Amino acid sequence: MAGAEGRRPAAPGEEVKPFTPEKTKEIVMSLQQPAVFCNMVGDWPALHWNAKYLSAVLGGKTIQFRLGLKTVDLDPQFETRCNYVKATLEEFLAWCCGQPSCLSGPFSCYEYSKYWAYADYKYIARIFEDKPEIFQDIRWSDFGFPGRSGKESTLWIGSEGANTPCHLDSYGCNLVLQVQGRKRWHLFPPGDTSCLYPTRIPYEESSIFSKVNVANPDLKRFPEFRNTTAHVVTLSPGQVLLVPRHWWHYVESIDPITVSINSWIELDADHEARVEEAITRLLVCAIKSADDPSDGDLWLNPTEVEATSHEINLQYLNKAVSAYFKCHKAGVSEQARPGSAGAERRTSASCKRKKRQVGCEPEGCRSPTHGFGFSTSEAEKLQTIPFGPHLIQVLAQPQETGWMGAVAIESDSRDLRNENEGGHFGKLHCTRKQLVMSNDRETPADRRDSDGSPDASQTALSTNDLLDCLVNPHVISLVARLLLEKTKV
């Protein structure tokens, strides 16, 4: 059996897993493309964390839900464009079921047929702070990360249609367990970044958003999106998705109620990424704070408490640079030690939305790697990845299928099924050609020159246009390296 090498015999009553923790960690830390682990979490108590169970555990505790429209627009439905309510899970479930009690509750203003609701980014350590024993229901130690549990994980509960705009995470890689319902993931490789029109507005540390609404792309405004390579998969309960570093993703709930649990695994490259994020924060806050506040531009994501001052942002930048060199020095020392095999990537607790955690323990740090590619040794290691029924690659969608097609992994993990065959998710199953034709909208004639190009005299560049260039990921990466070289001297 693939991955069974070196596996210890199972204890009586213990579930046999296809990979040892050591082998699983090796896969997670070396794989540069998304993949789904199957048959790895069958004995996790967290598999019982459906919304009804969580409602009973939380009792009357309220959590915040983000509400968005189910109608498909050409623009992404960023968090700045959503509504928010605080409600109990019991009230959420009643709303999803259309119970009369919702007529006077927190969801009373939102018709279920028109809106979706999402309790996203809920830190389990925070919402279950009075029930720490529940943290052990999540056992990331099976993936090679001993001590990692629910305390370092995040909970997501949504209704059908709930979605996260297309974005990439600046820090770490991501392990996602599907508990209830199914979610469809649209993933794009780091090399597609320029074709996804990256933006830092709305601004949130650690998230780079795409201007493109992946569910309904405006190919007139974003023609390069045609050149992206989508990897689409439908994640079912009991499966764990690996999202490698810097892979873009758009995620949507396709069942009436979905529950997911994830944990971001911190990587050595995050030290340089923190320098990049510190530079970005400094520039965005400085420029947008000088903008006219009356223009109504909601540039700060709701997850950010406030626009921090230039002084604080500069302090953050200096701490990030210091942490980078501290860890770099520790990594060099580790590699120079006789008999050392080199330090591993850091795998301590990491949350995507933790701000300004720039301290670094020297132990376990390694010199950060640069760029989106991988070395020859890593390519050779990829060839040894034990793909099969227990580890399934999320492959690129063929051109004839269209990037909005979906591949579902059957619960028994025996084969892959293309949901375009007999699927029933409407627009989600358009082919690439259909999408290009349906969304190729014309720019109004009065805003185009005689040769068909946009009328330059009608173009008015905004602050956000400037920022899109100034804090473009490639530009920030270059600035960070120049700054680190300058500091090293």
Side-chain angles (χ1 to χ4, degrees):
M1 182 187 296
E5 305 85 7
R7 187 179 61 217
R8 64 172 176 78
E14 182 182 12
E15 180 178 284
V16 177
K17 298 184 186 296
F19 306 112
T20 64
E22 295 76 18
K23 182 63 177 179
T24 309
K25 181 178 180 180
E26 179 187 326
I27 294 169
V28 169
M29 305 307 275
S30 61
L31 196 53
Q32 303 285 328
Q33 65 182 72
V36 175
F37 288 93
C38 301
N39 309 313
M40 285 291 293
V41 298
D43 59 347
W44 286 24
L47 283 185
H48 302 293
W49 283 27
N50 58 46
K52 189 174 181 180
Y53 169 81
L54 292 172
S55 175
V57 174
L58 288 171
K61 179 177 285 189
T62 61
I63 55 179
Q64 182 168 269
F65 287 85
R66 176 166 61 94
L67 291 106
L69 287 167
K70 289 183 177 180
T71 55
V72 182
D73 195 1
L74 285 176
D75 295 317
Q77 200 160 176
F78 291 127
E79 293 169 57
T80 49
R81 299 179 57 198
C82 292
N83 297 314
Y84 294 84
V85 300
K86 286 192 175 182
T88 64
L89 271 181
E90 183 179 7
E91 291 169 326
F92 166 73
L93 290 171
W95 178 71
C96 290
C97 296
Q99 294 181 10
S101 59
C102 299
L103 297 177
S104 59
F107 293 100
S108 59
C109 296
Y110 305 97
E111 192 175 331
Y112 178 77
S113 62
K114 295 180 180 179
Y115 288 88
W116 49 257
Y118 209 3
D120 50 359
Y121 300 105
K122 303 306 176 193
Y123 293 125
I124 291 173
R126 189 173 301 160
I127 63 174
F128 294 110
E129 59 185 350
D130 56 338
K131 298 178 177 66
E133 66 278 2
I134 206 171
F135 300 161
Q136 303 311 313
D137 286 5
I138 301 165
R139 304 169 178 173
W140 296 115
S141 56
D142 286 340
F143 285 74
F145 306 105
R148 183 178 288 264
S149 65
K151 189 176 182 181
E152 296 82 26
S153 304
T154 312
L155 183 65
W156 310 68
I157 305 169
S159 65
E160 186 174 4
N163 64 81
T164 304
C166 187
H167 68 284
L168 70 77
D169 301 324
S170 303
Y171 306 140
C173 64
N174 194 3
L175 288 172
V176 186
L177 165 65
Q178 193 63 27
V179 177
Q180 179 181 2
R182 296 168 301 154
K183 277 186 174 178
R184 181 167 294 131
W185 287 72
H186 307 257
L187 301 119
F188 302 87
D192 281 355
T193 293
S194 61
C195 298
L196 286 161
Y197 300 85
T199 182
R200 296 311 299 260
I201 304 297
Y203 173 76
E204 171 186 275
E205 181 179 345
S206 80
S207 295
I208 303 176
F209 291 104
S210 168
K211 286 185 171 184
V212 182
N213 182 358
V214 170
N216 189 33
D218 185 344
L219 296 174
K220 181 61 67 174
R221 288 177 61 200
F222 310 115
E224 291 302 313
F225 184 68
R226 293 183 179 92
N227 300 321
T228 58
T229 304
H231 298 239
V232 185
V233 66
T234 298
L235 200 64
S236 297
Q239 298 172 341
V240 176
L241 173 66
L242 166 64
V243 182
R245 181 175 186 261
H246 284 178
W247 272 70
W248 293 83
H249 46 285
Y250 166 79
V251 191
E252 58 182 340
S253 297
I254 61 173
D255 280 333
I257 296 174
T258 62
V259 176
S260 308
I261 297 169
N262 86 294
S263 189
W264 283 282
I265 308 298
E266 191 171 40
L267 304 175
D268 61 340
D270 291 348
H271 300 294
E272 182 171 338
R274 285 195 175 88
V275 176
E276 295 175 357
E277 285 298 296
I279 295 170
T280 301
R281 172 180 285 273
L282 188 150
L283 292 173
V284 172
C285 288
I287 292 176
K288 291 301 292 183
S289 296
D291 246 359
D292 184 358
S294 64
D295 64 5
D297 183 15
L298 300 175
W299 64 273
L300 200 62
N301 213 46
T303 52
E304 293 286 333
V305 178
E306 61 181 356
T308 43
S309 69
H310 182 74
E311 181 182 7
I312 290 176
N313 291 336
L314 197 57
Q315 290 176 3
Y316 178 33
L317 175 59
N318 277 282
K319 288 179 181 178
V321 170
S322 297
Y324 170 88
F325 283 113
K326 183 178 180 181
C327 201
H328 179 77
K329 183 178 180 181
V332 172
S333 300
E334 177 70 18
Q335 291 175 1
R337 189 178 302 163
S340 170
E344 294 183 347
R345 301 184 183 192
R346 289 189 69 212
T347 57
S348 59
S350 171
C351 288
K352 172 175 176 276
R353 299 195 179 214
K354 282 185 177 177
K355 304 296 185 284
R356 292 177 288 284
Q357 283 199 338
V358 295
C360 167
E361 294 298 325
E363 294 79 17
C365 292
R366 199 175 58 163
S367 177
T369 55
H370 297 298
F372 291 145
F374 47 95
S375 64
T376 302
S377 61
E378 288 174 321
E380 292 172 351
K381 187 180 291 185
L382 181 62
Q383 296 177 0
T384 68
I385 297 296
F387 292 116
H390 307 295
L391 180 66
I392 302 177
Q393 293 175 275
V394 181
L395 299 174
Q397 294 292 286
Q399 290 283 345
E400 59 271 18
T401 300
W403 55 265
M404 289 301 291
V407 173
I409 296 176
E410 298 290 354
S411 57
D412 61 4
S413 306
R414 287 177 300 185
D415 65 326
L416 297 179
R417 175 171 62 88
N418 190 323
E419 289 193 357
N420 279 335
E421 300 172 8
H424 58 279
F425 296 106
K427 289 186 179 179
L428 294 176
H429 294 283
C430 295
T431 64
R432 180 188 292 267
K433 184 177 180 181
Q434 288 172 330
L435 284 166
V436 170
M437 293 175 64
S438 64
N439 289 301
D440 234 3
R441 291 170 171 77
E442 291 294 329
T443 299
D446 59 355
R447 294 178 59 185
R448 305 184 71 86
D449 286 334
S450 57
D451 63 356
S453 61
D455 184 359
S457 65
Q458 299 294 318
T459 303
L461 293 175
S462 67
T463 302
N464 290 354
D465 293 327
L466 173 63
L467 278 173
D468 283 342
C469 300
L470 196 58
V471 296
N472 180 282
H474 297 297
V475 175
I476 289 295
S477 178
L478 176 59
V479 172
R481 293 180 195 178
L482 289 171
L483 186 64
L484 291 170
E485 284 295 322
K486 179 181 179 67
T487 308
K488 184 166 63 176
V489 175

